[in-house]
Amino acid sequence: LEEEMSHYLVYWKPDTVAESTSPALRYSANKQYDKVHPGDVLWIVTSEGPDDLVLVGRQKVDHVVGEIAAKAMLGRTNLWPSPWHVITENPEQKANLDISRHAARLSFDGVVSQLPDGFTGQHLQAMRRLDFDSANLLERLWQLRDQFFDK
C-alpha cells in the first residue's frame, strides 16, 4: 500500500445497505467526507449487533464533490442528501463479507484506537482513519473474498 493515501472505515446503517440496490459502489455520501481526498480508499461497513462487522465493499476515491456536482457527474437527482459525495470511476462489486473475527485487529489513528469488546454500530458512526497494518489487513481480506467468503 502507498503510505501517503488514507484508508477510512465508514459505517452504513443496515437499512442503508439494504436500500442500496446498486451492485457496485460507484458513489457514496457522508458529511464526514470533507477529510477525504482523491486516491484515498473508503471501506464501507455495517453492523447488526454486538461484535458484528460486515464489510460491504471498497470504494476508491476519484472525486470528492458537492451535491450539485455529484448530480451532474452521475446524471441522476436521487442522491443521498449530504454536503460531500465521493465518486469512483471504476466501481467494484459490493461483497458483504463477515469480518467480525478480524474486528479486534483493526486499529485507527486518533483518540479511539480500537473497537471495544461488544462494539455496535454506534461505535462506528465516526469515520475512522485506519492505520497502515489495518488497511493492509482489509486489502488482503478483500483480495481473498472470492476464495474464502460466502457471498
Side-chain angles (χ1 to χ4, degrees), residues 10 22 68 73 86 88 94 117 135 140-141 143 150:
V10 179
S22 172
I68 293 168
M73 290 174 78
V86 162
T88 301
K94 291 187 287 193
D117 287 340
R140 283 194 311 275
L141 293 172
Q143 297 307 322
D150 294 328

Side-chain angles (χ1 to χ4, degrees), residues 10 17 27 31 36-38 41 48 75 77 84-85 92-93 101 120 122 127 134:
V10 179
V17 174
Y27 116 96
K31 65 180 183 261
V36 175
H37 302 284
V41 177
E48 294 192 16
T77 56
W84 301 104
H85 297 256
E92 296 180 82
Q93 296 289 111
R101 66 190 187 98
T120 65
Q122 273 194 300
M127 183 174 77
S134 297

Side-chain angles (χ1 to χ4, degrees), residues 29-82:
N30 189 311
K31 65 180 183 261
Q32 300 175 68
Y33 285 174
D34 59 329
K35 301 176 184 97
V36 175
H37 302 284
D40 290 347
V41 177
L42 305 178
W43 295 95
I44 311 293
V45 297
T46 193
S47 178
E48 294 192 16
D51 291 321
D52 173 58
L53 192 62
V54 174
L55 178 58
V56 176
R58 175 175 69 174
Q59 186 181 18
K60 292 184 177 178
V61 178
D62 289 314
H63 307 279
V64 183
V65 297
E67 193 165 342
I68 293 168
K71 287 177 179 178
M73 290 174 78
L74 296 168
R76 50 185 276 209
T77 56
N78 61 333
L79 301 182
W80 189 268
S82 175

Side-chain angles (χ1 to χ4, degrees), residues 77-119:
T77 56
N78 61 333
L79 301 182
W80 189 268
S82 175
W84 301 104
H85 297 256
V86 162
I87 298 173
T88 301
E89 295 296 334
N90 298 302
E92 296 180 82
Q93 296 289 111
K94 291 187 287 193
N96 296 316
L97 309 176
D98 181 352
I99 60 167
S100 302
R101 66 190 187 98
H102 301 284
R105 294 173 53 199
L106 297 177
S107 297
F108 313 105
D109 294 339
V111 178
V112 177
S113 62
Q114 291 191 289
L115 294 171
D117 287 340
F119 71 87

